[in-house]
């Protein structure tokens, strides 16, 4: 450390401590200014190479039990201050080792440790798409909070989450990582997740920096094929794909990640419109943008840059502050500056943004503040986190069908046959983007274990795997049929393997894989009552099962406590409350199928209407299960829908009310949904748009008046000039238990 820096450093640390101590009294903006001054003071001391080093991020070759990085060269670069951040290194011991190397560099600028903490760390929560099915924003926030607490205790500073990409195509494997098809719900969930990860704010020892990704429109990849191009109208971009990013930004998200796709011909990583004009311009985002993995270098195969030199120039110019793993910045930025191709002020801007986050995290104050062995131990096996995980998992299980009230099962049931490739599977419960730990087999709760611990002593469980997830063998069918015959009830658990949905896991065929639906048919043919549970990271197609099996639960990938959550739902200790955050297609040929589509000039009157209308001649237009759908063991009736008036003016509001009654035999939670349709607009409007929901708990026979208030602001949309506003006119309003089964009324917005 040079003397001059030492003085400045001591000075900045002093100021920082004073700032932290006095933080209660300081306004947010004066804190921000103080940190900005500190970042400036560090920036002044840096050489161009050191600045470029801050914009560089490498992978740490981390495995749960493996080394921190095999690469001696990377270690040297850390010692020279040529690395701003490293990903995929966790654990107090490992992060401390690397941070110590960074402390050997001239300016001792601390490293940021980034990691994909997508749905948990030690405790794995349900996959994000499943969590979205809970429609429970507090629970979603809590899940992110716990993930942050556990991973921050293990040295992680920064999660590459939440993924807030709206996705309407279940062939796209990354659909499992988002909140589904609806922009409004997705925006609320984006906010909840950012708030959960960032907790009481950067600098708290249990807060991670969150990262809104993938900016932007990654979920609209053509054909649902991962990394594919995106071509969309400006209105679709602004109305459907950008709002969850805006919500994350407004919630204070620390960072953004750009995306692999090109958007209307310009790769997102080199897209100045997205990153400079919208994000850092219109939205005034103060954090920094990281590229996706090698996405800077991938502008070469995109055909947008000739080589890494050009790619680096395009990316920095467009506003991408940190290069994840492509090494384009580290190798080319210096030359780009000396060649006069890149304005060094852009480098300063990027580095300052990165330094500010390091200050906000308190890392200049103490680079090892997230390296506390005791805290790591405390969070390693936290029983309360497991309990919360189970509760979250229960909220995500969707009851798709329950004819003759087969569910919930009685604990008195004598013999239960458990069949299928998931009944005893362990890590399959975690899904993509989860961490594997050496003791997983002992601690992950299988369906078998969950049910075994739930049943009475004199009940008996029988087991047969029946078939594998994805092959053509039916050799196990006979044994499965045999035990089904001996049972009072049969529970079959089928689905897709965790590596079938996720990054680079697009599928053109999203039917139940392998022979699993044939297995269901064989068991159903025994005449025994059958319950099917489906594990998956996306909407699968299982029409035969949906049409013939009396009871179906969608069980996604539920996480560490999966088996307990499943058993609670099967035996009625938890009454299902989840609602689908995405439409389930009848066939791949229907994709994309989503509830908030336009009406067209020739809408079909019904499924049989094929008279030159907008319809498939071989398939109904509507999905197999609509957005917002999900049953309960009890039933709810909607009655007496009423509006507070016939019209209202901007500035006023109108109320919609109705009575919700629990008409069934169990206490239950209903997520009542409010949709609106703008009947005539200067641009066409969707047939329905979600505008509100409430989660209502009712006892048997109980009734409650539910009220929603509609304001003109809720009716805003982008017109063809991209102006965001409402237009007076006639509207329909719908209330109901999903996007299909609704009651409707009308109102007008007047001038
Ligand atoms: C993914 C990102 C992820 C990154 C780091 C990329 O391949 O697209 O979402 O955060 O890898 O693991």
């Amino acid at each position: 450390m040079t003397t001059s820096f030492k003085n400045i450093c001591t000075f900045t640390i002093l100021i920082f401590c004073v700032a932290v101590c006095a933080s209660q009294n300081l306004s947010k903006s004066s804190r921000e200014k103080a940190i900005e001054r500190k970042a400036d003071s560090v920036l002044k001391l840096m050489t161009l190479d050191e600045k470029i080093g801050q914009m560089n991020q490498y992978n740490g070759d981390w495995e749960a039990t493996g080394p921190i990085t095999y690469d001696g060269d990377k270690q040297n670069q850390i010692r020279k201050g040529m690395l701003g951040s490293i990903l995929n290194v966790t654990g107090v011991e490992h992060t401390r080792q690397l941070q110590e190397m960074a402390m050997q560099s001239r300016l001792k600028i601390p490293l940021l440790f980034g990691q994909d903490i997508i749905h948990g760390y030690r405790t794995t929560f349900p996959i994000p798409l499943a969590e979205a099915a809970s429609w429970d924003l507090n629970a979603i926030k809590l899940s992110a909070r716990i993930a942050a607490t556990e991973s921050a205790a293990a040295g992680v500073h920064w999660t590459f989450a939440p993924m807030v990409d709206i996705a309407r195509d279940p062939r796209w494997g990354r659909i499992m990582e988002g909140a589904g098809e609806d922009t409004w719900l997705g925006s609320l969930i984006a906010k909840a997740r950012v708030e959960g990860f960032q907790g009481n704010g950067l600098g708290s020892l249990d807060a991670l920096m969150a990262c809104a990704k993938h900016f932007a429109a990654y979920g609209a990849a053509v054909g649902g094929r991962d990394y594919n191009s995106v071509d969309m109208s400006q209105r679709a971009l602004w109305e459907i794909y950008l709002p969850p990013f805006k919500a994350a930004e407004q919630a204070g998200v620390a960072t953004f990640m750009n995306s692999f796709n090109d958007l209307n011909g310009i790769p997102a990583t080199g897209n100045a419109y997205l990153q400079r004009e919208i994000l850092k311009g219109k939205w005034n985002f103060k954090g920094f943008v990281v590229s996706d993995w090698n996405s800077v270098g991938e502008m070469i195969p995109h055909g947008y840059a000739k080589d890494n030199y050009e790619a680096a120039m395009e990316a920095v110019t467009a506003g991408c502050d940190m290069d994840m793993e492509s090494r384009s910045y580290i190798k080319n930025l210096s030359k780009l500056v000396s060649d006069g191709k890149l304005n060094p002020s852009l480098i300063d801007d990027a580095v300052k943004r990165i330094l500010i986050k390091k200050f906000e995290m308190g890392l200049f104050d103490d680079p090892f503040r997230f390296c506390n062995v005791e805290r790591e131990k405390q969070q390693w096996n936290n029983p309360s986190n497991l309990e919360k995980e189970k509760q979250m998992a229960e909220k995500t299980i969707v009851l798709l069908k329950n004819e003759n009230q087969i569910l919930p099962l009685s604990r008195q049931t004598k013999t239960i046959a458990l069949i299928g490739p998931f009944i005893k599977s362990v890590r399959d419960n975690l899904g993509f983007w989860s961490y594997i730990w050496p003791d997983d087999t002992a601690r992950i709760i299988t369906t078998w274990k969950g049910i075994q611990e739930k049943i009475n002593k004199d009940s008996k469980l029988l087991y047969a795997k029946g078939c594998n997830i994805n092959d053509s063998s039916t050799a196990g069918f006979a044994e499965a049929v045999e035990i089904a015959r001996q049972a009072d009830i049969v529970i079959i658990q089928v689905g897709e393997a965790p590596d079938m949905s996720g990054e680079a896991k697009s599928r053109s065929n999203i039917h139940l894989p392998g022979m699993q639906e044939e297995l269901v048919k064989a068991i159903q043919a025994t005449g025994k009552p059958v319950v099917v549970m489906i594990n998956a990271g996306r909407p699968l197609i299982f029409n035969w099962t949906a049409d013939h099996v009396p009871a179906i639960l969608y069980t996604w990938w539920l996480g560490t406590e999966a088996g307990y959550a499943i058993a609670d739902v099967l035996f009625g200790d938890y009454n299902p409350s989840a609602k689908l955050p995405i439409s389930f297609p009848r066939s791949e040929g229907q994709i994309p199928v989503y509830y908030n589509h336009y009406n067209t000039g020739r809408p079909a009157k019904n499924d049989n209407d094929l008279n030159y209308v907008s319809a498939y001649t071989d398939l109904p237009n509507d999905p197999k299960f609509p957005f917002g759908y999900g049953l309960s063991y009890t039933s709810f009736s909607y009655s007496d829908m009423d509006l507070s008036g016939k019209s209202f003016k901007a500035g006023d509001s109108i109320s919609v009310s109705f009575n919700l009654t629990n008409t069934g035999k169990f206490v239950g939670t209903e997520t009542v949904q409010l949709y609106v349709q703008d009947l005539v607009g200067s641009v066409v409007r969707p047939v329905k748009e979600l505008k509100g929901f409430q989660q209502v708990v009712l006892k048997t026979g109980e009734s409650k008046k539910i009220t929603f208030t509609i304001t003109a602001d809720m009716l805003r949309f982008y017109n063809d000039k991209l102006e965001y506003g409402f237009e007076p006119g006639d509207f329909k309003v719908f209330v109901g238990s999903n996007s299909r089964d609704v009651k409707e009324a009308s109102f007008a917005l007047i001038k």
Side-chain angles (χ1 to χ4, degrees):
M1 184 193 283
T2 64
T3 321
S4 60
F5 178 68
K6 196 173 192 173
N7 291 339
I8 299 251
C9 197
T10 315
F11 177 58
T12 50
I13 287 171
L14 189 70
I15 298 194
F16 188 71
C17 294
V18 171
V20 169
C21 298
S23 61
Q24 245 101 12
N25 303 326
L26 285 178
S27 72
K28 191 169 171 240
S29 83
S30 59
R31 268 207 311 278
E32 277 166 6
K33 281 189 192 129
I35 285 187
E36 215 184 315
R37 279 197 299 276
K38 283 181 244 169
D40 281 332
S41 72
V42 175
L43 197 63
K44 275 196 202 116
L45 300 170
M46 298 173 79
T47 63
L48 179 62
D49 280 349
E50 284 165 340
K51 289 176 185 173
I52 294 166
Q54 285 303 305
M55 298 168 71
N56 186 26
Q57 185 189 54
Y58 291 145
N59 183 45
D61 314 317
W62 177 80
E63 293 157 24
T65 52
I68 46 172
T69 167
Y70 308 100
D71 188 337
D73 183 46
K74 277 185 206 166
Q75 298 188 4
N76 281 335
Q77 292 199 43
I78 296 173
R79 290 192 184 95
K80 285 191 208 147
M82 298 308 292
L83 197 65
S85 171
I86 197 152
L87 74 148
N88 289 338
V89 176
T90 73
V92 160
E93 185 196 339
H94 295 156
T95 52
R96 180 176 282 276
Q97 271 172 284
L98 290 178
Q99 200 67 293
E100 275 166 359
M101 287 177 205
M103 289 304 111
Q104 293 164 32
S105 65
R106 188 178 78 92
L107 294 182
K108 303 188 185 312
I109 299 177
L111 287 169
L112 278 175
F113 293 100
Q115 186 81 15
D116 291 286
I117 307 296
I118 308 294
H119 54 115
Y121 179 64
R122 172 68 172 163
T123 307
T124 305
F125 277 77
I127 56 165
L129 185 63
E131 288 195 349
S134 74
W135 295 51
D136 186 332
L137 301 173
N138 288 331
I140 291 171
K141 186 169 161 179
L142 181 64
S143 154
R145 186 83 292 281
I146 291 171
T149 306
E150 289 186 357
S151 53
V156 178
H157 303 145
W158 177 20
T159 174
F160 304 123
M163 187 191 100
V164 302
D165 297 306
I166 295 300
R168 293 168 158 185
D169 192 330
R171 291 172 300 181
W172 189 51
R174 295 198 82 166
I175 204 160
M176 54 78 53
E177 205 181 328
E181 76 186 32
D182 186 67
T183 302
W184 186 73
L185 180 62
S187 301
L188 294 176
I189 291 176
K191 176 174 184 284
R193 289 196 164 127
V194 170
E195 289 174 353
F197 286 129
Q198 298 194 167
N200 288 331
L202 306 191
S204 313
L205 284 169
D206 60 359
L208 296 181
M209 304 197 317
C211 180
K213 71 187 190 186
H214 304 83
F215 197 61
Y218 182 44
V222 171
R225 208 179 71 212
D226 209 0
Y227 317 124
N228 208 358
S229 304
V230 173
D231 206 286
M232 68 167 55
S233 73
Q234 282 288 88
R235 280 205 327 103
L237 177 69
W238 279 89
E239 194 160 299
I240 300 161
Y241 291 90
L242 290 184
F245 287 99
K246 174 88 172 132
E249 195 279 321
Q250 287 183 327
V253 74
T255 65
F256 266 60
M257 183 184 289
N258 55 38
S259 53
F260 290 121
N261 57 287
D262 76 82
L263 176 64
N264 302 334
I266 315 252
T269 303
N271 199 313
Y273 173 62
L274 286 174
Q275 296 169 102
R276 287 247 180 252
E277 198 176 322
I278 299 177
L279 181 61
K280 294 179 176 174
K282 278 192 175 59
W283 296 355
N284 198 21
F285 173 62
K286 297 285 190 217
F288 70 86
V289 180
V290 63
S291 79
D292 204 344
W293 184 297
N294 192 37
S295 68
V296 177
E298 287 172 22
M299 288 198 285
I300 303 167
H302 266 294
Y304 190 69
K306 194 170 72 193
D307 49 25
N308 290 85
Y309 177 85
E310 269 189 26
M313 181 181 72
E314 295 291 355
V316 175
T317 308
C320 173
D321 303 307
M322 187 180 276
D323 174 8
M324 182 191 286
E325 264 295 334
S326 93
R327 293 152 205 245
S328 306
Y329 285 9
I330 199 80
K331 290 188 178 147
N332 295 289
L333 290 191
S334 180
K335 183 156 173 21
L336 279 163
V337 171
S338 59
D339 290 350
K341 295 267 173 60
L342 191 66
N343 187 336
S345 69
L346 294 183
I347 293 189
D348 282 356
D349 176 63
V351 176
K352 185 170 163 181
R353 288 167 180 273
I354 295 164
L355 292 177
I356 284 176
K357 291 300 156 209
K358 293 185 175 184
F359 271 110
E360 287 177 358
M361 291 296 284
L363 293 170
F364 276 97
D365 208 20
D366 174 5
F368 303 103
R369 62 198 300 265
F370 292 87
C371 300
N372 179 312
V373 177
E374 273 316 304
R375 208 165 42 236
E376 185 176 44
K377 265 196 212 140
Q378 271 166 23
Q379 288 302 328
W380 188 243
N381 282 326
N382 182 331
S384 138
N385 292 354
L386 289 174
E387 178 59 25
K388 301 279 173 2
E389 197 289 302
K390 188 196 80 167
Q391 289 166 2
M392 181 80 231
E394 289 169 355
K395 286 169 192 271
T396 71
I397 298 174
V398 192
L399 180 63
L400 293 177
K401 204 174 167 189
N402 193 20
E403 272 174 6
N404 311 321
Q405 296 265 300
I406 284 198
L407 292 172
L409 302 179
S410 158
R411 276 195 176 74
Q412 317 305 326
T413 314
K414 284 274 170 281
T415 309
I416 304 174
L418 296 177
I419 295 172
F422 288 90
I423 294 288
K424 288 195 174 177
S425 65
V426 180
R427 288 199 173 116
D428 286 347
N429 289 306
L430 304 187
F432 205 87
W433 290 122
S434 51
Y435 293 97
I436 291 177
W437 306 109
D439 58 348
D440 275 353
T441 312
R443 71 190 198 100
I444 294 169
I445 309 303
T446 61
T447 302
W448 174 263
K449 183 171 162 70
I451 295 176
Q452 200 178 39
E453 288 185 21
K454 181 71 76 181
I455 52 173
N456 283 349
K457 278 197 214 79
D458 49 355
S459 299
K460 197 162 80 183
L461 293 184
L462 306 174
Y463 168 73
K465 188 172 183 189
C467 63
N468 290 323
I469 296 172
N470 196 15
D471 67 24
S472 54
S473 170
T474 56
F477 279 27
E479 183 198 5
V481 167
E482 182 47 38
I483 66 155
R485 289 215 174 94
Q486 296 166 30
D488 301 310
I489 185 137
V490 188
I491 299 170
I492 313 175
Q493 194 171 22
V494 289
E496 58 174 6
D499 63 358
M500 287 177 160
S501 284
E503 184 175 350
K505 301 292 178 279
S506 296
R507 289 177 72 83
S508 64
N509 176 348
I510 58 167
H511 281 66
L512 266 177
M515 301 310 287
Q516 294 180 100
E517 197 150 45
E518 295 306 310
L519 176 68
V520 174
K521 288 180 191 171
I523 304 298
Q524 175 74 9
T526 62
K528 294 288 174 160
V530 173
V531 178
V532 167
M533 302 196 291
I534 301 174
N535 281 26
R538 56 155 63 88
L540 291 178
I541 297 170
F542 44 94
N543 293 329
W544 192 92
T545 301
D547 294 342
H548 296 89
V549 170
I552 304 172
L553 289 164
Y554 216 69
T555 41
W556 313 101
W557 293 320
L558 294 175
T560 318
E561 301 282 283
Y564 288 148
I566 283 172
D568 278 357
V569 166
L570 284 173
F571 289 89
D573 292 330
Y574 185 87
N575 183 358
S577 58
K579 302 276 188 178
L580 297 175
I582 184 153
S583 310
F584 274 44
R586 294 170 187 273
S587 134
E588 289 87 356
Q590 265 189 327
I591 297 172
V593 56
Y594 47 92
Y595 84 94
N596 47 356
H597 57 83
Y598 299 139
N599 207 22
T600 82
R602 293 190 179 192
K605 288 191 196 70
N606 52 52
D607 285 349
N608 301 322
D609 182 9
L610 296 179
N611 191 17
Y612 289 92
V613 291
S614 180
Y616 295 108
T617 54
D618 55 352
L619 206 66
N621 280 358
D622 67 338
K624 190 74 183 168
F625 297 103
F627 173 83
Y629 177 85
L631 304 173
S632 162
Y633 292 152
T634 195
S635 49
F636 296 98
S637 80
Y638 289 66
S639 63
D640 306 316
M641 182 176 180
D642 194 23
L643 288 183
S644 59
K646 289 196 167 124
S647 63
F648 74 106
K649 282 187 186 152
D652 290 345
S653 61
I654 194 165
S655 302
V656 189
S657 58
F658 57 93
N659 284 331
L660 181 73
T661 307
N662 182 340
T663 50
K665 296 194 190 113
F666 300 86
V667 179
T669 302
E670 170 72 326
T671 300
V672 295
Q673 297 158 41
L674 173 81
Y675 297 88
V676 162
Q677 181 186 16
D678 188 342
L679 293 180
V680 180
S682 62
V683 291
V684 296
R685 303 300 305 144
V687 293
K688 274 185 198 115
E689 288 177 278
L690 182 70
K691 294 290 178 185
F693 66 89
Q694 292 178 35
Q695 299 201 296
V696 188
V697 185
L698 291 182
K699 294 192 203 101
T700 310
E702 195 184 358
S703 232
K704 195 169 172 189
K705 184 173 174 182
I706 310 294
T707 304
F708 286 102
T709 303
I710 300 174
T711 63
D713 268 356
M714 292 162 63
L715 306 175
R716 294 201 287 171
F717 60 89
Y718 287 96
N719 67 16
D720 64 339
K721 296 189 189 73
L722 286 188
E723 295 156 341
Y724 191 54
F726 45 79
E727 293 176 357
D730 293 329
F731 292 79
K732 272 190 187 170
V733 54
F734 311 87
V735 292
S737 62
N738 62 65
S739 61
R740 186 188 57 201
D741 303 313
V742 290
K743 299 199 177 298
E744 66 174 70
S746 302
F747 67 85
L749 175 65
I750 52 178
K751 279 193 184 139

